[in-house]
Structures are given as structure tokens and as C-alpha cells.
Amino acid sequence: MANELTLRVITPERIVTDTTAASVRMPGLDGDMGVFPRHAAMVAALKPGILRYKEGGLETTMFVAGGFAEVRDNTVRVLTSAGEEPADIDQVRAQAALDRARQRLAGSQVTNSGEPIDMIRAEAALQRALMRLTTKGLGGGR
Ligand code: ATP
């Protein structure tokens, strides 16, 4: 339909979503990005966060673990390492990941080998866990 676009959320493991939508909102690196039908072609980097799309007046929310979004030919393709709708999110696992990340961030700023890179990984893991828990809390979806 003229007032719809196609949304595909793809991970290395599966196609999480392949649907039509009236609009899509994605967590861009520099802030949320809205995409409507017949949007100009673009590629954008995403951060871990919540993707929302509207379909038949209903809004669906989904966690995406960052990655890239390509908009072309009235299709939004999101390539991400992980994507989950609220019902697919294991809250206990996400809470455990959050606790682990917080412990790491509260500890030494260096790894055993003296590299700061683990703090960056811990921060990224923290963001994924927080966003999963937020997505779960928002509920909704199908
Ligand atoms: P964890 O430390 O619990 O593995 P993580 O953030 O490192 O969390 P990811 O690397 O983002 O995990 O994801 C690895 C795989 O596990 C993906 O397929 C993702 O969908 C799945 N996954 C991770 N956490 C959860 C969760 N809380 N609920 C459901 N699936 C999850």
C-alpha cells in the first residue's frame, strides 16, 4: 500500500520481523530516527535501544542491539546482532547481565592485562541489559 513501508529486522540467527508498517522509529547513534513511507535512501548506525513501529494503529516495541539500518525502496532493513520483542526477553537473564556489568564497572578500571577495553564492553553490556529490561517493561507488542 502507498502509505506503508516494509520493515525487516535481521540478526545472524533469524529474521526477527518481516512486516509492513505505517512508520518506524529507531535508536540512531545520535538520537531517535523516524522513517515514514517513501523516505529517502539512507544508511544509519544504531545504538542498543528500542525500535517501535506502527501497524494498523497499534505500536509494537522491540529491543535491538545496535547495528545498522538501511532505508531503500520503501523498505527499512535493520541488521543487528540481536533483536527481541518483549515476550522473547528473558528478564532474569537480562537482570543478571545488568548486575554483572555493574559489578565490572564498579571495579578496577583496568583488566588484568592493563587494558581499559573491558570497561567499554561492560558499558555496552550494561546498555543492552538496561534496554532489554526497559523493552520488557514497556510490554505491548504482539
Ligand atoms: P548475556 O550476557 O545474557 O548473553 P548479552 O547482552 O551479552 O547478554 P547478546 O550478545 O546481546 O547478549 O545476545 C546473544 C544472544 O542471546 C542473542 O541471540 C540474543 O537475542 C540472546 N539474548 C541475550 N540476552 C537475552 C535475554 N535477556 N532474553 C532473551 N534473549 C537474550
Side-chain angles (χ1 to χ4, degrees), residues 13 65 81-84 88-90 93-94 97 100 125 128 132:
E13 287 158 5
S81 60
E84 297 126 29
D88 297 328
I89 294 174
D90 179 337
R93 177 173 170 176
R100 262 196 323 274
R128 289 196 300 276
R132 281 189 170 107

Side-chain angles (χ1 to χ4, degrees), residues 11-14 16 63 65 81-98 100 104 124-129 132-133 136:
T11 73
E13 287 158 5
R14 66 190 179 113
V16 181
F63 164 78
S81 60
E84 297 126 29
E85 290 196 8
D88 297 328
I89 294 174
D90 179 337
Q91 190 164 352
V92 172
R93 177 173 170 176
Q95 187 62 52
L98 180 66
R100 262 196 323 274
R104 286 189 187 123
L126 180 91
Q127 288 306 322
R128 289 196 300 276
R132 281 189 170 107
L133 290 170
K136 186 84 177 166

